[in-house]
Amino acid sequence: MTAQREGEHTMKNIDPDPVRARAVTQLYRKRGAQIHGLVYLFANVIQIVVWWAYTPEQFFWPLWSILGWGIGLFFHVWAVYSGTGLDEARIAREIGRPRGDG
């Protein structure tokens, strides 16, 4: 078995306080979006440097990854920071909704 790092959020380490657990989960989601943004930035800077060093007279081909990956990054950040996650009102509506599973 591997040792669990202190503060690591896993299903085995569920906090009994649901508000704190939700806050911890949201912090991990924010950290994930921040790391995604940094990787996006570094990877695209490297591509731009490669383009500039080897083919500056040709089409700016890093544009495709900047735009494509940028769209994915936008939706990732939007999902984390928009605040449209699960709230108690949505959960209550879903619990009250009739099930159509047979």
Side-chain angles (χ1 to χ4, degrees):
M1 287 196 161
T2 60
Q4 184 176 351
R5 294 181 300 211
E6 184 178 337
E8 186 174 350
H9 188 67
T10 64
M11 292 305 289
K12 294 178 183 176
N13 188 18
I14 296 176
D15 197 317
D17 179 8
V19 174
R20 184 179 188 285
R22 196 173 326 156
V24 168
T25 300
Q26 184 64 12
L27 287 172
Y28 276 105
R29 292 178 71 209
K30 286 180 178 181
R31 179 173 290 164
Q34 292 165 352
I35 291 170
H36 187 179
L38 286 174
V39 172
Y40 170 82
L41 178 69
F42 290 136
N44 284 300
V45 165
I46 289 169
Q47 289 182 45
I48 292 168
V49 168
V50 168
W51 169 81
W52 180 75
Y54 294 103
T55 59
E57 68 284 345
Q58 294 181 7
F59 178 75
F60 183 68
W61 52 263
L63 175 70
W64 301 117
S65 67
I66 291 169
L67 291 177
W69 191 353
I71 291 168
L73 177 61
F74 170 79
F75 283 112
H76 184 179
V77 170
W78 183 45
V80 171
Y81 288 97
S82 69
T84 59
L86 299 177
D87 57 9
E88 292 305 318
R90 286 184 180 191
I91 293 169
R93 277 196 311 264
E94 190 63 29
I95 290 172
R97 178 174 290 157
R99 296 178 57 125
D101 56 358

